[in-house]
Amino acid sequence: MQSRRSFIKVSALSAAMAMAGFASFGAYAADTIKVGVLHSLSGTMAISETVLKDTALMAIDEINAKGGVLGKKLEPVVVDPASNWPLFAEKARQLISKDKVAVTFGCWTSVSRKSVLPVFEELNGLLFYPVQYEGEELSKNVFYTGAAPNQQAIPAVEYLMSKDGGSAKRFVLLGTDYVYPRTTNKILRAFLKSKGVADADIMEEYTPFGHSDYQTIIAKIKKFASEGKKTAVVSTINGDSNVPFYKELGNQGIKATDVPVVAFSVGEEELRGVDTKPLVGHLAAWNYFMSVKNPTNTAFIKQWSDYAKKMKLPSADKPLTNDPMEATYIGIHMWAQAVEKAKSTDTDKVIAAMAGQKFKAPSGFVAEMDAKNHHLHKPVFIGEVKADGQFKVVWKTPGPIKAQPWSPFIEGNDKKKDEPEKK
């Protein structure tokens, strides 16, 4: 009874203070803007996604410290879909219908994004998706802040074929068995064909999520590479399978000078648990690396290091930044800018206000949301693994590249519009 009485007293006081123009905690708790965070904190994808949840919370803290959005504090609602694809859809529905979030930042794998997409479209929610993907999708309810294939996969393979990249003539397309690797490899196969690479010079292999024994596959790659033509591996392996894959690469002595591997889902965070000395010279293609030198990135790394220490995160002893963290950070800030511009968190008003949003990104470039296609214009970097697990940039585009969600290497895409269908 006592606690109820004190509560009534406090509520009355809060109301009086609010009326008097004071913002007490009691007054703003009911008046926050809820923001969903939908990332796997357990299961095979936790190795990659946990840090994106923490990046989202850091950005929310930063925005709140500057007064929030529309004068309201952002209140994160964090859920764990646990690398379980149907659970992603369930959690998305909970965030939109029950928790009443204004926006959700989340997903890594395309299968998780495909799982939640119908929910966001049905309930007219808003998803910011921060990871490179296969394209072939354009939803009014999603903003894609990671790369489309022409902003990562195609430039990486062009680099491997170039003199600087080793003039590769044969290619191993190796991935986890789901929609992102299969669609990306379909695009890459058509691209390679357009460059005169024969089917006999392309080997394609898939392993399930969580796969850990790469001995046989790497032996097969060695054999394929020994048949007389310079060979390169394009890896779309996702999640914690990357650790045994790279360990086995080291065990079997596959050096980057012999058979370079370029990865699209391996960054600083995934290499944390791997002895990178045998991997020196292998490649990754992204739109950001921690090693990029510019004042915006220096500030971003310091902000993350300070946050990791303050929150006592497991990574605090060795704070790393990576591309999907940068894409998450850009997305949250752009959403906040769009809400301020729209003077509303209404989904349709925010979507309209997102067109052309700009944000000075840690990559050293100004990231810009395309006026129509819901994708960012992004620079492309190719980096070589160094002995310390960082990347040395060996190639980059002169400036940001506009995304092509519909790849020209898939038949019929020339007839598709570069903007979401009006429903």
Side-chain angles (χ1 to χ4, degrees):
M1 194 62 196
Q2 183 55 39
S3 64
R4 185 161 180 267
R5 204 171 297 131
S6 349
F7 172 74
I8 291 168
K9 266 193 204 156
V10 170
S11 302
L13 182 67
S14 298
M17 285 171 77
M19 281 166 75
F22 292 103
S24 75
F25 178 76
Y28 99 52
D31 199 20
T32 56
I33 297 172
K34 286 186 171 179
V35 170
V37 181
L38 180 67
H39 281 300
S40 297
L41 311 178
S42 54
T44 186
M45 292 310 301
I47 182 176
S48 297
E49 291 193 67
T50 304
V51 73
L52 301 190
K53 176 264 296 180
D54 292 318
T55 305
L57 295 179
M58 174 185 81
I60 288 167
D61 269 11
E62 177 193 351
I63 291 165
N64 282 343
K66 292 176 182 164
V69 178
L70 300 178
K72 296 177 182 182
K73 293 287 165 88
L74 302 180
E75 182 186 335
V77 183
V78 177
V79 292
D80 177 16
S83 310
N84 172 334
W85 319 130
L87 191 57
F88 265 89
E90 229 172 276
K91 295 285 185 190
R93 190 171 290 279
Q94 174 200 316
L95 286 170
I96 302 167
S97 300
K98 187 169 157 264
D99 298 311
K100 305 279 188 245
V101 300
V103 62
T104 298
F105 299 93
C107 300
W108 177 294
T109 68
S110 286
V111 66
S112 67
R113 191 192 67 259
K114 295 278 187 200
S115 167
V116 303
L117 187 62
V119 178
F120 280 92
E121 291 185 335
E122 176 203 333
L123 301 172
N124 201 26
L126 193 52
L127 173 69
F128 277 71
Y129 175 66
V131 185
Q132 37 53 302
Y133 81 120
E134 70 282 358
E136 305 310 300
E137 181 182 299
L138 199 45
S139 169
K140 142 187 183 305
N141 297 87
V142 183
F143 284 94
Y144 306 79
T145 59
N150 71 303
Q151 296 170 309
Q152 187 195 34
I154 300 274
V157 173
E158 282 183 311
Y159 176 76
L160 291 171
M161 297 176 93
S162 72
K163 195 163 165 279
D164 286 347
S167 307
K169 299 281 186 280
R170 305 193 93 191
F171 293 85
V172 177
L173 307 179
L174 175 62
T176 301
D177 193 2
Y178 73 106
V179 61
Y180 161 64
R182 284 194 177 268
T183 309
T184 300
N185 289 337
K186 181 181 172 184
I187 290 167
L188 289 178
R189 201 177 257 278
F191 170 73
L192 289 168
K193 199 174 176 180
S194 78
K195 295 286 183 192
V197 177
D199 275 346
D201 288 326
I202 302 171
M203 169 180 152
E204 205 168 328
E205 286 277 338
Y206 295 96
T207 51
F209 274 104
H211 188 71
S212 60
D213 182 3
Y214 280 93
Q215 228 172 329
T216 315
I217 284 181
I218 286 173
K220 256 172 111 169
I221 291 171
K222 277 176 98 167
K223 184 179 178 302
F224 185 76
S226 69
E227 290 164 10
K229 289 181 184 170
K230 176 72 181 182
T231 302
V233 177
V234 177
S235 168
T236 45
I237 295 171
N238 267 258
D240 54 12
S241 294
N242 277 300
V243 176
F245 169 68
Y246 280 101
K247 281 185 176 160
E248 190 57 39
L249 213 55
N251 291 347
Q252 295 203 26
I254 294 194
K255 291 190 174 60
T257 44
D258 307 327
V259 183
V261 175
V262 64
F264 302 156
S265 295
V266 173
E268 295 81 351
E269 193 61 39
E270 287 73 21
L271 290 179
R272 186 189 287 278
V274 180
D275 173 12
T276 45
K277 287 177 203 64
L279 307 181
V280 168
H282 286 301
L283 304 158
W286 289 104
N287 313 101
Y288 164 87
F289 284 111
M290 182 175 176
S291 59
V292 173
K293 299 272 180 282
N294 67 69
T296 313
N297 194 31
T298 304
F300 179 61
I301 294 167
K302 184 182 184 315
Q303 182 186 357
W304 172 247
S305 303
D306 293 349
Y307 183 81
K309 288 185 182 88
K310 183 180 102 179
M311 302 308 287
K312 298 187 172 57
L313 299 179
S315 59
D317 57 330
K318 188 185 171 187
L320 300 173
T321 56
N322 66 20
D323 176 298
M325 289 169 72
E326 190 219 25
T328 297
Y329 187 75
I330 293 169
I332 293 182
H333 279 282
M334 276 193 176
W335 169 80
Q337 288 170 194
V339 171
E340 291 286 1
K341 184 183 173 188
K343 299 185 173 48
S344 168
T345 56
D346 173 80
T347 298
D348 292 335
K349 288 178 181 164
V350 174
I351 290 170
M354 274 297 296
Q357 281 293 344
K358 291 185 171 70
F359 183 74
K360 196 172 179 190
S363 67
F365 293 84
V366 173
E368 182 182 347
M369 183 54 69
D370 191 73
K372 289 185 172 173
N373 77 13
H374 285 221
H375 287 67
L376 287 179
H377 295 210
K378 306 189 86 169
V380 186
F381 298 97
I382 293 172
E384 273 183 5
V385 179
K386 295 184 353 191
D388 62 358
Q390 286 290 322
F391 290 88
K392 174 181 142 205
V393 174
V394 291
W395 181 89
K396 65 178 182 184
T397 53
I401 305 286
K402 179 184 157 104
Q404 291 179 315
W406 305 114
S407 172
F409 297 101
I410 287 190
E411 218 176 311
N413 274 356
D414 52 342
K415 301 190 176 51
K416 291 185 178 163
K417 277 192 178 150
D418 192 31
E419 57 185 296
E421 289 294 324
K422 301 274 184 284
K423 291 232 167 39

